[in-house]
Amino acid sequence: MDMAIKIGMLVVFFGIMIGVGIYCRKHSTDVDGFVLGGRSVGPWLTAFAFGTSYFSAVVFVGYAGQFGWKYGIAATWAGIGNALIGSLLAWAVLGRRTRVMSQHLNSSTMPQFFETRFDSKVLKLAASVVIFIFLIPYTASLYNGLSRLFGMAFDIDYSVCVIVMAILTGIYVIAGGYMATAINDFIQGIIMLVGIVAVIVAVLNNQGGLMEALNGLGQVTDPSVSGTPGVFNSFFGPDPLNLLGVVLLTSLGTWGLPQMVQKFYAIKSEKAINKGMIISTIFALVVAGGCYFLGGFGRLFSDKVDIASGGYDAIIPTMLSELSPILIAVVVVLVLSASMSTLSSLVLASSSTLTLDFIKGTLVKDLSQKKQLLIMRVLIAVFIAISVVLAIIQYNSNVTFIAQLMGVSWGALAGAFLAPFLYGLYWKRATSVSVWASFLFSTVVMIANIFWKSAFPALLQSPINAGVFCMLAGLVIVPVVSLFTKPPRQEHIQHVFSCYDKKVIVSAADAIGEPVSKEEVK
């Protein structure tokens, strides 16, 4: 009976996802509709698409378990940072300007933005290569969190689970494009919100309630981490400096990730941006804050978790193993939702980037809308297939190189793109040479971190801290290099930034104008 309930919930879940994909086929008849939903997506769908692309099984199972174990209840700061920096500030700083300038420059992807903003086709190709190299392993990492959960809930081989999930995700993305992804993200987001709250309540109740769990956490000691009693239920935990690195990478990093920023390209209106900012922030606070908060109690299960053999990925599944069959089914659907939403966003970003920014105009000079759509759909299938192969290889043979590459992908992408994109929106003096400097610095540093980790200072041997270093360095590199290199063509810059000077008429409900004098009326 319990197994029938679990399987029934999965069948309903997958049925809805595919149904939405088929329904949204009418929105994906041209490139703009397939990639951006015709730039007509409302605040709720955009906000949930942003949030569900942000948080995957990597966060729920991997990061929550690992950082909760390392920093205790203080790991919740990562979730708070994700909400305030990764969502609220990202929408406030990037949302409107990205929407306005990307439409003005007719750019559908981040590499296209770099080409049209900095007047350099080669920049577009370079950005496409960076995205292709680092998004594929990141995509493969989404499957990792599923292995132990499915092992706990079902007697199903991990490879079968990964393949089925990939095929079903591919079906609705290929059929419905961005609009199908956005609608399914909304549904998956609701599941994530309800699921994380239910799981936290259930786990804490099993520990005697919140206060009892906090008291128990305060009695946990680990001499290898800290000799201070009660450090794991303290405000900043045993290692505030490295915790700050986690907060910055997982929060500020979203500002430079193509699959995240591209959500702003598709939003419908000014109202939608303001409303979406609030919705997205609340979503992040509940989901990310809840995940890290839950992970903070991981050490209460230290007698059941063998970190040495099972790794940090075993922590969250162990915490959930004592829940009721219904809640375990909810958790499985929750993690599937988180993984499929992020997977769909990543493969759509990868395929559109490679088609629009590399194949079109470079390998094939004249590419019709119909052929572009066909190539993107084929590439979605190819990207999903590659990620499945990488995930299965890693699971079966423990290839550490793939795991390391997945760990540095976020830092490499955010480090390379964050500063050029931010300055590109706001600063006229930013040059294409400075963008090259940012690209090269971050990719070289993060790749070097894989192969020559021991050559780095102790603080930067962590891929997380190295990624934060690249992001912050880029914010310095771009303005410094720009000031010492030839300024961009004045006529090009005037054209780029003219989008902010256009006059639009809005109702008094949307904007309060200056009082009109009698002379002006005459």
Side-chain angles (χ1 to χ4, degrees):
M1 182 62 183
D2 292 340
M3 185 61 70
I5 293 173
K6 296 174 187 176
I7 294 175
M9 289 179 69
L10 287 180
V11 170
V12 171
F13 172 74
F14 286 135
I16 292 172
M17 298 300 105
I18 294 175
V20 169
I22 296 172
Y23 170 77
C24 290
R25 289 185 63 186
K26 61 184 179 182
H27 294 283
S28 56
T29 55
D30 58 21
V31 172
D32 192 55
F34 188 81
V35 177
L36 298 176
R39 296 185 191 265
S40 60
V41 185
W44 283 92
L45 292 184
T46 303
F48 272 69
F50 186 90
T52 53
S53 298
Y54 197 163
F55 310 115
S56 66
V58 175
V59 172
F60 185 76
V61 177
Y63 282 8
Q66 177 180 351
F67 300 136
W69 186 271
K70 287 184 175 181
Y71 309 121
I73 204 68
T76 309
W77 282 111
I80 295 172
N82 293 172
L84 298 182
I85 301 173
S87 297
L88 182 66
L89 273 181
W91 280 74
V93 175
L94 302 179
R96 183 181 181 277
R97 284 188 170 246
T98 299
R99 176 65 174 82
V100 172
M101 187 176 282
S102 66
Q103 184 174 23
H104 174 65
L105 298 178
N106 196 28
S107 60
S108 302
T109 66
M110 186 176 275
Q112 280 187 349
F113 173 85
F114 288 132
E115 176 192 27
T116 52
R117 166 61 182 85
F118 294 100
D119 199 18
S120 171
K121 186 175 182 179
V122 183
L123 267 181
K124 179 179 75 170
L125 299 179
S128 301
V129 171
V130 173
I131 290 172
F132 178 77
I133 290 174
F134 289 102
L135 273 191
I136 288 293
Y138 181 37
T139 303
S141 72
L142 299 176
Y143 302 105
N144 294 344
L146 294 172
S147 59
R148 294 184 182 275
L149 284 174
F150 265 78
M152 176 187 68
F154 302 96
D155 187 19
I156 300 176
D157 183 73
Y158 172 65
S159 300
V160 174
C161 164
V162 167
I163 292 170
V164 170
M165 169 187 157
I167 290 174
L168 293 173
T169 304
I171 288 173
Y172 79 72
V173 177
I174 290 170
Y178 182 82
M179 188 59 76
T181 300
I183 294 175
N184 276 332
D185 285 350
F186 180 78
I187 297 169
Q188 291 159 350
I190 296 295
I191 295 171
M192 291 167 68
L193 285 171
V194 174
I196 191 64
V197 173
V199 168
I200 290 172
V201 171
V203 170
L204 292 181
N205 281 341
N206 285 349
Q207 296 297 313
L210 175 60
M211 297 312 298
E212 188 66 28
L214 286 172
N215 290 334
L217 196 61
Q219 297 171 18
V220 174
T221 57
D222 186 346
S224 65
V225 176
S226 173
T228 306
V231 70
F232 292 109
N233 69 349
S234 64
F235 201 63
F236 291 117
D239 190 359
L241 186 59
N242 279 305
L243 175 59
L244 178 62
V246 173
V247 173
L248 289 176
L249 183 70
T250 60
S251 302
L252 191 60
T254 61
W255 295 33
L257 296 180
Q259 76 274 17
M260 302 298 296
V261 172
Q262 199 162 316
K263 300 295 185 290
F264 299 133
Y265 287 41
I267 200 163
K268 187 176 182 179
S269 64
E270 186 98 16
K271 275 185 179 179
I273 292 174
N274 296 330
K275 188 181 291 184
M277 176 172 62
I278 303 302
I279 298 167
S280 178
T281 303
I282 295 172
F283 182 90
L285 197 59
V286 174
V287 174
C291 285
Y292 289 111
F293 178 74
L294 177 65
F297 294 97
R299 284 186 178 265
L300 294 179
F301 299 81
S302 56
D303 59 326
K304 301 175 183 176
V305 178
D306 185 4
I307 296 296
S309 61
Y312 294 113
D313 290 348
I315 297 171
I316 296 296
T318 300
M319 296 173 69
L320 303 176
S321 60
E322 297 177 357
L323 299 181
S324 68
I326 297 293
L327 272 177
I328 289 178
V330 169
V331 170
V332 170
V333 175
L334 183 160
V335 176
L336 269 175
S337 298
S339 298
M340 290 177 70
S341 58
T342 307
L343 175 63
S344 62
S345 177
L346 290 174
V347 297
L348 190 58
S350 299
S351 66
S352 60
T353 292
L354 199 57
T355 302
L356 301 177
D357 305 325
F358 196 83
I359 296 175
K360 180 187 175 185
T362 304
L363 299 181
V364 182
K365 296 298 181 184
D366 187 19
L367 204 59
S368 66
Q369 290 264 328
K370 188 175 180 180
K371 288 181 179 178
Q372 289 177 55
L373 284 172
L374 176 62
I375 292 172
M376 275 190 278
R377 286 179 163 125
V378 170
L379 286 176
I380 286 172
V382 170
F383 288 147
I384 289 178
I386 294 173
S387 67
V388 166
V389 171
L390 288 176
I392 293 175
I393 288 175
Q394 183 187 357
Y395 179 74
N396 290 332
S397 56
N398 293 318
V399 178
T400 57
F401 173 77
I402 298 175
Q404 288 174 323
L405 193 55
M406 289 185 295
V408 301
S409 62
W410 188 305
L413 289 166
F417 297 148
L418 189 155
F421 190 78
L422 180 63
Y423 284 113
L425 292 174
Y426 280 89
W427 192 37
K428 295 180 179 181
R429 186 62 175 79
T431 65
S432 59
V433 178
S434 72
V435 179
W436 276 111
S438 181
F439 284 7
L440 290 172
F441 180 84
S442 292
T443 52
V444 168
V445 168
M446 295 308 296
I447 291 174
N449 190 264
I450 299 175
F451 298 105
W452 301 285
K453 188 185 296 287
S454 59
F456 282 70
L459 184 65
L460 297 183
Q461 289 182 9
S462 160
I464 291 173
N465 292 338
V468 172
F469 171 70
C470 288
M471 288 192 299
L472 298 180
L475 293 173
V476 176
I477 288 171
V478 170
V480 170
V481 173
S482 293
L483 292 174
F484 284 93
T485 51
K486 182 180 178 181
R489 293 185 299 112
Q490 192 61 34
E491 59 271 24
H492 174 72
I493 288 300
Q494 287 177 349
H495 164 67
V496 168
F497 281 85
S498 65
C499 59
Y500 297 146
D501 299 325
K502 290 180 180 177
K503 297 292 187 293
V504 293
I505 299 175
V506 296
S507 67
D510 296 327
I512 301 174
E514 294 294 328
V516 180
S517 66
K518 293 180 180 179
E519 289 74 15
E520 288 175 319
V521 172
K522 293 177 182 179

